[in-house]
Amino acid sequence: QVQLVESGGGLVQPGGSLTLSCAASSNVLSFDTVGWYRQAPGKPRALVAEISSGGYTNYADSVKGRFTISTDNAKNMVYLQMNSLKPDDTAVYYCYAQSPWYVYWGQGTQVTVSS
């Protein structure tokens, strides 16, 4: 069974930076796509960023130019570098990995952007 374990969430001031990490229990290259969703209070879960096994990336318009998704395939890690954070970025962030058969989810990590 695939497990995704997230870390790096916390409290950060507006304009600050934060890096989220997701450790996968299997080779990230075995998935079609890995990435991050987030869910803000009172809003549905929405895609933040994703990267395919071929290296193609997609970002939500609201985070383009500020967030960067990357992987370390040798370490089975997925990262989300978040810069110039805004209060609207406050949400629970979920790591996911999609195979042809199933979508696996991490437990979620809280990111709060506030003064």
Side-chain angles (χ1 to χ4, degrees):
Q1 185 176 358
V2 174
Q3 291 184 333
L4 304 174
V5 180
E6 298 150 318
S7 62
L11 176 65
V12 63
Q13 294 182 348
S17 297
L18 202 63
T19 299
L20 304 183
S21 300
C22 176
S25 61
S26 61
N27 189 349
V28 297
L29 293 176
S30 68
F31 301 105
D32 294 330
T33 305
V34 297
W36 298 86
Y37 275 68
R38 68 185 181 186
Q39 187 167 23
K43 296 183 179 180
R45 191 175 298 189
L47 177 70
V48 177
E50 61 183 3
I51 184 168
S52 72
S53 60
Y56 297 99
T57 58
N58 289 305
Y59 295 93
D61 288 341
S62 59
V63 307
K64 286 181 179 178
R66 300 188 298 121
F67 291 10
T68 303
I69 187 170
S70 63
T71 63
D72 186 334
N73 298 330
K75 297 180 179 179
N76 295 330
M77 297 290 294
V78 184
Y79 304 102
L80 184 67
Q81 175 66 47
M82 304 184 293
N83 299 321
S84 302
L85 283 162
K86 306 174 181 179
D88 286 347
D89 295 319
T90 296
V92 178
Y93 285 70
Y94 299 89
C95 179
Y96 79 95
Q98 184 171 9
S99 74
W101 316 112
Y102 199 74
V103 178
Y104 303 93
W105 295 94
Q107 78 285 354
T109 184
Q110 177 70 49
V111 173
T112 302
V113 184
S114 176
S115 298

